[in-house]
Structure formats: structure tokens, C-alpha cells
Amino acid sequence: MGGREYAALTVLGSDDFDAMEVVEMTDAGRGGLLLEFRMDEESAKLTHLGADVDIPLLRASLEVFREDFLEPRRAAGLPLPPW
């Protein structure tokens, strides 16, 4: 995305929620938090939206969240928010 590199990190938060963070990767390593999605049995929310997030990054992040976070849980029969 525009010459910048990003990483989506799955964070197993606690018994209450799981999260996916999107960070920019720099030569020095992991950069600051750009996006954070949290999901529990009742909801999935975007809980952090950084100021430097553009629409293409947001769209790509939502796709990664769906493919790598929601779909495997659905396939495994794990609880998902009721939407």
C-alpha cells in the first residue's frame, strides 16, 4: 500500500475478547498502532483508528480481519457475534 509495509497481528486478549492489531513496519521494527479490531461473543468493533489510516488500508484490514479472524472461527464452530 503506497510503499509502506504493514502487519496484522492477532492478539489473544483474554477470556473476554480477542483482537487484531494493524501496525506499520519500519526498518527499526514494529511501528505504532494504526488499527485495532476487538471481537467477543457479542460484537466485533473497530476500537482504534489512527490518524494516518487511509481508505485502502482500512479496506485491506477489514478483508484480513474477515479472512484470518472471522472465517476460521466460523469454520471451527467457535462463538461469533450474532449478526
Side-chain angles (χ1 to χ4, degrees):
M1 308 225 87
R4 297 167 70 182
E5 292 187 28
Y6 303 95
L9 311 168
T10 300
V11 178
L12 301 177
S14 67
D15 290 337
D16 298 327
F17 69 89
D18 290 332
M20 184 186 89
E21 297 178 348
V22 176
V23 297
E24 184 170 6
M25 298 303 292
T26 66
D27 290 339
R30 179 183 169 163
L33 179 65
L34 298 172
L35 294 156
E36 181 181 53
F37 298 89
R38 286 191 180 186
M39 187 180 79
D40 59 27
E41 292 181 12
E42 297 177 7
S43 66
K45 297 178 181 177
L46 178 61
T47 57
H48 178 82
L49 178 61
D52 293 333
V53 175
D54 57 12
I55 297 299
L57 177 58
L58 179 59
R59 290 182 73 193
S61 298
L62 286 168
E63 187 66 16
V64 169
F65 183 74
R66 184 186 64 76
E67 289 178 358
D68 295 348
F69 212 75
L70 292 176
E71 295 301 330
R73 284 163 173 73
R74 179 177 288 128
L78 297 173
L80 291 173
W83 51 64

